[in-house]
Amino acid sequence: MPTLVTGASRGLGLEFARQIAQAGDTVFATCRDPAAATALQRVADAAPDRVRLIPLDVDDPSSIAACAQQVHTAGIPLDLLVHSAGVWAVGGPASSGPLGRLEPDALLAVLRTNAVGALAVTQALAPHLGPQATVAHLSSGLGSLARDVPRDNYGYALSKAALNMVTRYLAEDLADRDVRVVSVDPGWVRTDLGGPSARLEPAEAVTQVRAVLADLPADASGRFWNRHGEEVPW
């Protein structure tokens, strides 16, 4: 199952790259600066025939185009595209709150990375998705309009709600190619973004998300799922 993972330098993206390579599949592991991503370099060194490192800044259109060109040159259709690149906040309270400290530019920066970046990458890679491929957006329960709203999460929550809508639109646009597009909430994971108090280790969360992606129902596209394979209201 040839896979491209964004944000593969650490956290969930790194764990996706590791597990996919260990399963014997090809993975295009992308991040802003692969040369500086020491943990990702170790994953590549352990499986040099399966792990291909590609620079990718999801906020930079020229970087996205260059990444798509490398995938095109490789000539390997993608079966899975995992959007893991994301940020919690830009400028701390400038994007997260409280209300009186929010700044539009900081909010837009979070939205650009977490939602627009994922859309732009999928747009560029759509020609390289194989038949019956899956596009998986790593979303969050904070992106659900149906749950209680916590304080001081403005930018991240807005971006994940927007990402869920990106899922809906892409599901419609790519349906004629039999490409499924889903959002998946991996849970609260102990990463740099999730923090040390999170309940889940990356290996457990990614194992569960991969199992969900492998067993999606026929009508899964455009919908929001959790790591247990249950649909999330949003």
Side-chain angles (χ1 to χ4, degrees), residues 10 25 35 41 46-47 59 69 76 78 85 91 95 98 104 106 122 127 134 145-146 172 187 202 209 213:
R10 59 185 181 177
D25 293 323
Q41 288 283 349
D59 295 339
Q69 181 58 47
I76 303 174
L78 299 173
S95 66
T122 302
T134 298
L145 302 179
E172 293 294 325
V209 170
L213 295 177

Side-chain angles (χ1 to χ4, degrees), residues 76 85 92 98 104 117-118 137 152 161 220:
I76 303 174
H137 296 131
D152 300 344

Side-chain angles (χ1 to χ4, degrees), residues 178-192:
D178 201 21
V179 172
R180 298 179 298 185
V181 187
V182 295
S183 289
V184 184
D185 177 8
W188 187 18
V189 187
R190 202 170 298 122
T191 63
D192 289 349

Side-chain angles (χ1 to χ4, degrees), residues 7-19 21-22 29 31 33-47 51 53 192:
S9 61
R10 59 185 181 177
L12 293 171
L14 176 64
E15 185 60 28
F16 263 101
R18 178 183 291 116
Q19 290 195 19
Q22 289 176 345
C31 62
D33 186 3
T38 55
L40 181 57
Q41 288 283 349
R42 288 194 293 270
V43 172
D45 290 343
V51 181
L53 304 185
D192 289 349

